[in-house]
């Protein structure tokens, strides 16, 4: 296990929740065969921390996120949000998926309002929807339908739909994976700005080593399926970070080595 | 539509006072031709003696000339009539074709009797039906609408609720699905003999049959619509705090709506068939019954008149359904225009 000390102490706002993953193993039954996906994963995330999960394709990262979200229950082990055991989905832990999955029959505004509507508090909280649409810069598209949006705009709406619930833990499942590289770089900066402003705990799954290093306080490297934690790397650099930073380049080399890709460096 | 507004722009830019020869062969020419065709039709009614004795030939001729005058007026003032003028210009070729058709029909029946009488009545005898037999025809129209509407609404509602239930709940699906598979594919008209002696009135029996014909496609399409909703939508809604009732009402049903409308459309088609058969066999009212009655009296003009009304009603019902769909499904791209 590779552990690096943080270069500087980072203070977190009090909004985020602590997330504990304790001895979690999970498996799927596929045509009668048991396919193990997660193998005794232990991870403790401090309130307000930004943690990136890196791992080979199909290693079980997204499954771990589904467990955190409460969409599935682990076979063994437990997940806790602020000491309380996670037993099902709850709007304090919101997921942004790789596909924006906007509801095509709802306008941008109605999509963002979804969470508040589902919780039955939309009537008194309409201003929160307006505010968060403003925050992601889509005020002029509030009445547009999803098919009228570009990929980056749709993903921004998905982000707004998550943020309107004031989540304590924001779970991001490769949310920028399908965007073009320019939009992705722009949205990475926006994501950091939002996280710094709001102070929620963030758990990001990504394929992109550079993205993980630019965004996260800690990078968790997972093994092939069934996923185990291979390394827990603290990224001790202040924000905004620069892609050309030699410190990050060194970390990148190290992580690619852990992923068995040192030859590509 | 946009292409028409473009040509409208160029027409408006040209000086309006002078109608040039190019205009006559172009945008005005078709309208002028339509007007002439209708005038010819009118004159043939008024000044060319019929082979038989029809009382409405004169009125038909005057009517046709009035239409010709309207077309002429509309053609040359289309630019000042706004959207109505544009609509007229767009349909001018159809007015030519339709005018030519009625003229041919008039000549082939009333003037030369090329088509055997009384099986092919001339246009004036159809007009005669609309003027002289109007009360009975209207009664039939209202009876048909009442029966169709009642049966269709019951069938669509029951079908929709059943479809959502079996699409959502496996338990309900377990019990309803086999019944649906057994009863659904049976043509509703096959129930006719049983329905007419088990129900207290022929009206309630027909309502049941129309509801049955509507219900089956609506159920199946609603069911497949609900079942095919991507689980990602449910995941998103659940993480945002949605309860099961929200998942059904605000996720499953809106997502399934395009399928539901296909079912409603198919149900409408098959219910028309049942309506007409039920009226011909059991119910002593409605357009189906009117057709049957006209056949009994060898009143062929009445049959054609009733057929035209029936076609307009069915087409109108489908138009209404599609308009409703377009309004509810504005979020969809590229829906078919009826």
């Amino acid at each position: 296990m590779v552990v690096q000390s943080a270069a500087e102490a980072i203070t977190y706002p009090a909004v985020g929740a602590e997330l504990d993953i304790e001895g979690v193993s999970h498996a799927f039954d596929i045509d009668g065969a048991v396919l193990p996906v997660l193998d005794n994963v232990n991870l403790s995330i401090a309130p307000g921390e930004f943690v990136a999960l890196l791992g080979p394709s199909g290693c079980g990262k997204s499954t771990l996120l589904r467990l955190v979200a409460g969409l599935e229950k682990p076979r063994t082990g437990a997940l806790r949000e602020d000491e309380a055991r996670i037993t099902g989905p709850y709007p304090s832990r919101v997921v942004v998926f790789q596909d924006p999955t906007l509801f095509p029959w709802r306008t941008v505004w109605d999509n963002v309002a979804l969470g508040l509507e589902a919780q039955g508090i939309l009537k008194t909280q309409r201003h929160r929807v307006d505010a968060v649409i403003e925050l992601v810069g889509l005020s002029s598209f509030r009445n547009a339908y999803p098919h009228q949006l570009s990929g980056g705009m749709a993903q921004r709406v998905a982000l707004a739909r998550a943020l309107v619930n004031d989540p304590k833990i924001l779970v991001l499942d490769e949310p920028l994976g399908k965007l073009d590289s320019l939009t992705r770089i722009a949205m990475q900066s926006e994501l950091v700005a939002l996280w710094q402003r709001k102070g929620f705990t963030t758990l990001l799954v990504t394929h992109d080593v550079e993205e993980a290093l630019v965004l996260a306080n800690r990078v968790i490297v997972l093994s092939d399926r069934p996923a185990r934690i291979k390394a827990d790397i603290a990224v001790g650099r202040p924000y905004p970070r620069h892609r050309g930073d030699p410190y990050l380049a060194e970390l990148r080399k190290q992580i690619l080595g852990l992923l068995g890709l040192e030859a590509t460096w | 539509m946009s292409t028409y507004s473009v040509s409208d722009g160029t027409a408006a830019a040209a000086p309006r006072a002078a109608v040039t020869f190019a205009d006559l062969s172009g945008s005005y020419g078709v309208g002028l031709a339509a007007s002439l065709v209708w005038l010819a039709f009118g004159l043939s009614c008024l000044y060319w003696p019929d082979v038989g004795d029809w009382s409405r030939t004169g009125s038909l001729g005057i009517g046709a000339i009035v239409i010709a005058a309207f077309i002429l007026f509309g053609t040359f003032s289309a630019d000042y009539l706004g959207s109505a003028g544009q609509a007229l210009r767009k349909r001018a070729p159809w007015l030519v074709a339709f005018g030519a058709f009625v003229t041919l029909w008039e000549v082939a029946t009333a003037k030369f009797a090329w088509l055997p009488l009384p099986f092919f009545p001339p246009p004036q005898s159809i007009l005669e039906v609309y003027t002289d037999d109007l009360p009975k025809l209207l009664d039939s129209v209202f009876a048909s609408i009442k029966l169709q509407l009642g049966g269709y609404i019951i069938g669509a509602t029951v079908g929709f609720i059943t479809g959502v239930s079996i699409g959502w709940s496996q338990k309900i699906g377990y019990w309803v699905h086999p019944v649906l598979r057994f009863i659904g594919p049976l043509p509703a008209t096959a129930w006719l003999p049983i329905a007419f002696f088990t129900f207290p009135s022929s009206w309630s029996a027909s309502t049941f049959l129309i509801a049955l014909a509507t219900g089956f496609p609506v159920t199946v399409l609603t069911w497949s619509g609900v079942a095919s909703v991507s689980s990602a939508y449910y995941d998103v809604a659940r993480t945002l705090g949605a309860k099961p009732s929200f998942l059904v009402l605000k996720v499953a049903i809106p997502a399934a709506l395009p399928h539901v409308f296909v079912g409603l459309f198919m149900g409408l088609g098959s219910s028309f068939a049942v309506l007409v058969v039920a009226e011909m066999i059991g119910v002593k009212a409605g357009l189906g019954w009117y057709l049957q009655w006209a056949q009994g009296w060898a009143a062929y003009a009445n049959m054609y008149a009733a057929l035209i009304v029936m076609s307009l009603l069915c087409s109108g019902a489908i138009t209404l359904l599609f308009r409703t769909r377009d309004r509810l499904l504005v979020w969809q791209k590229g829906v078919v225009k009826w």
Side-chain angles (χ1 to χ4, degrees):
Chain A
M1 203 178 241
V2 186
V3 180
Q4 304 227 338
S5 58
E8 57 168 2
I10 299 164
T11 52
Y12 304 110
V15 180
E18 185 182 327
L19 178 67
D20 292 300
I21 300 169
E22 298 164 356
V24 164
S25 299
H26 198 59
F28 291 123
D29 295 315
I30 295 172
D31 294 330
V34 177
L35 181 76
V37 228
L38 296 173
D39 180 17
N40 192 25
V41 176
N42 285 285
L43 186 61
S44 185
I45 299 173
E49 211 174 4
F50 196 135
V51 173
L53 292 177
L54 266 176
S57 189
C59 78
K61 301 177 298 256
S62 296
T63 307
L64 188 57
L65 289 198
R66 290 181 66 82
L67 297 179
V68 171
L71 290 169
E72 282 176 52
K73 285 181 184 128
R75 296 262 169 122
T76 51
L79 296 100
R80 291 176 205 281
E81 176 191 349
D82 278 344
E83 312 290 318
R85 192 166 179 152
I86 295 170
T87 54
Y90 193 76
S92 67
R93 282 167 276 115
V94 188
V95 191
V96 178
F97 295 95
Q98 182 174 18
D99 287 310
T101 8
L102 302 179
F103 291 12
W105 57 90
R106 285 172 165 249
T107 60
V108 166
W109 199 94
D110 289 331
N111 262 290
V112 174
L114 196 74
L116 301 180
E117 192 183 330
Q119 295 155 48
I121 53 171
L122 180 61
K123 264 186 191 157
T124 55
Q125 305 285 315
R126 299 178 69 88
H127 60 276
R128 277 165 69 180
V129 180
D130 296 324
V132 78
I133 291 177
E134 177 87 46
L135 187 69
V136 296
L138 286 174
S139 295
S140 48
F141 286 90
R142 59 211 305 275
N143 294 322
Y145 282 99
H147 76 256
Q148 298 166 308
L149 304 177
S150 71
M153 274 151 57
Q155 200 54 274
R156 254 183 220 149
V157 176
L159 196 61
R161 182 174 63 185
L163 293 177
V164 77
N165 302 287
D166 282 335
K168 293 186 166 174
I169 300 176
L170 184 64
V171 181
L172 304 166
D173 188 1
E174 295 185 52
L176 312 180
K178 285 191 173 169
L179 302 180
D180 65 273
S181 53
L182 291 177
T183 312
R184 185 155 62 201
I185 289 170
M187 285 202 57
Q188 283 169 355
S189 321
E190 286 176 33
L191 209 54
V192 167
L194 280 171
W195 165 68
Q196 287 185 314
R197 199 164 143 185
K198 295 275 182 179
F200 41 72
T201 308
T202 309
L203 187 59
L204 166 80
V205 155
T206 179
H207 274 123
D208 184 344
V209 180
E210 195 184 79
E211 180 170 284
L213 289 171
V214 168
L215 296 178
N217 300 132
R218 263 164 88 195
V219 177
I220 310 290
V221 182
L222 298 171
S223 69
D224 271 324
R225 197 184 53 238
R228 282 171 292 104
I229 293 180
K230 239 184 176 177
D232 185 340
I233 300 164
V235 185
R237 270 288 190 264
Y239 299 91
R241 289 175 181 164
H242 300 286
R243 274 150 230 278
D245 189 337
Y247 172 81
L248 294 185
E250 180 54 38
L251 276 183
R252 191 186 138 153
K253 187 177 164 187
Q254 208 177 334
I255 291 168
L256 285 173
L258 285 165
L259 293 169
L261 294 165
E262 56 273 79
T264 59
W265 182 245
Chain B
M1 242 358 249
S2 58
T3 49
Y4 286 101
S5 54
V6 169
S7 64
D8 171 40
T10 51
R16 276 173 181 163
V19 176
T20 63
F21 180 74
D23 284 336
L24 284 178
S25 59
S27 56
Y28 296 111
V30 186
L32 199 62
S35 179
L36 287 175
V37 170
W38 281 90
L39 184 69
F41 174 48
L43 293 176
S44 77
C45 288
L46 290 178
Y47 298 107
W48 188 346
D50 290 341
V51 293
D53 184 23
W54 289 288
S55 59
R56 298 283 173 218
T57 311
S59 336
L60 186 65
I62 292 165
I65 290 169
V66 170
I67 291 174
F70 265 109
I71 296 172
L72 193 68
F73 170 75
T75 301
F76 286 99
S77 48
D79 293 332
Y80 305 96
L81 292 175
S83 59
Q86 290 313 312
L88 179 75
R89 191 166 274 172
K90 191 174 152 189
R91 287 171 182 77
W94 261 108
L95 287 172
V96 177
F98 189 56
F101 170 75
V102 283
T103 311
L104 195 70
W105 178 12
E106 173 73 19
V107 169
T109 51
K111 308 305 177 192
F112 289 115
W114 289 329
L115 295 170
L117 288 165
F119 308 108
F120 296 96
Q124 49 265 50
S125 62
I126 306 241
L127 183 68
E128 194 179 327
V129 173
Y130 288 137
T131 51
D132 297 9
D133 204 22
L134 190 65
K136 200 179 199 172
L137 205 52
L138 278 182
D139 281 350
S140 302
V141 166
F142 285 126
S144 283
I145 289 178
K146 204 174 123 195
L147 188 57
Q148 168 70 24
L149 214 59
Y152 186 72
I153 288 174
I154 293 171
T157 311
V158 172
F160 177 73
I161 292 170
T162 315
V164 172
S165 314
I166 58 181
W168 184 256
S169 156
Q170 288 194 336
K171 226 176 251 175
I172 299 175
Y174 175 82
W175 289 107
V176 177
H177 185 209
V179 180
L180 194 68
R181 278 182 73 166
F182 183 68
I183 292 175
L186 205 63
T189 40
W191 289 88
L192 223 108
I194 297 174
F196 276 116
F197 70 76
T198 44
F199 278 82
S201 65
S202 61
W203 184 80
S204 55
S206 310
T207 304
F208 167 74
L209 293 177
I210 292 168
L212 200 64
T214 310
F216 178 60
V218 174
T219 306
V220 173
L221 267 298
T222 306
W223 167 32
S224 85
V226 170
S228 68
V229 176
S230 160
S231 63
Y233 289 140
Y234 296 128
D235 283 349
V236 166
R238 282 172 64 208
T239 59
L240 295 173
K243 293 169 195 65
S245 61
F246 187 91
L247 295 181
V248 175
L249 297 173
K250 300 290 180 100
V251 183
I253 289 176
L257 222 47
H259 283 83
V260 175
F261 271 100
V262 176
L264 286 172
F265 172 67
M266 288 167 61
L268 198 57
S270 51
S271 67
F272 287 151
V274 177
L275 172 76
V276 174
V277 173
E279 284 177 342
M280 281 182 167
I281 292 178
V283 191
K284 292 276 169 278
L287 284 167
W289 167 80
Y290 188 93
L291 277 177
Q292 190 81 347
W293 167 85
Q295 192 202 18
W297 287 96
Y300 293 97
N302 297 58
M303 287 175 60
Y304 287 105
L307 268 182
I308 292 168
V309 172
M310 204 183 266
S311 156
L312 289 177
L313 283 177
C314 293
S315 180
I318 289 175
T319 305
L320 202 66
L321 182 72
F322 276 46
R323 288 272 162 82
T324 314
R325 181 198 64 172
D326 291 347
R327 188 164 272 244
L328 281 174
L329 304 185
V330 276
W331 50 271
Q332 269 194 317
K333 290 185 285 185
V335 284
V336 178
K337 290 272 173 280
W338 165 251

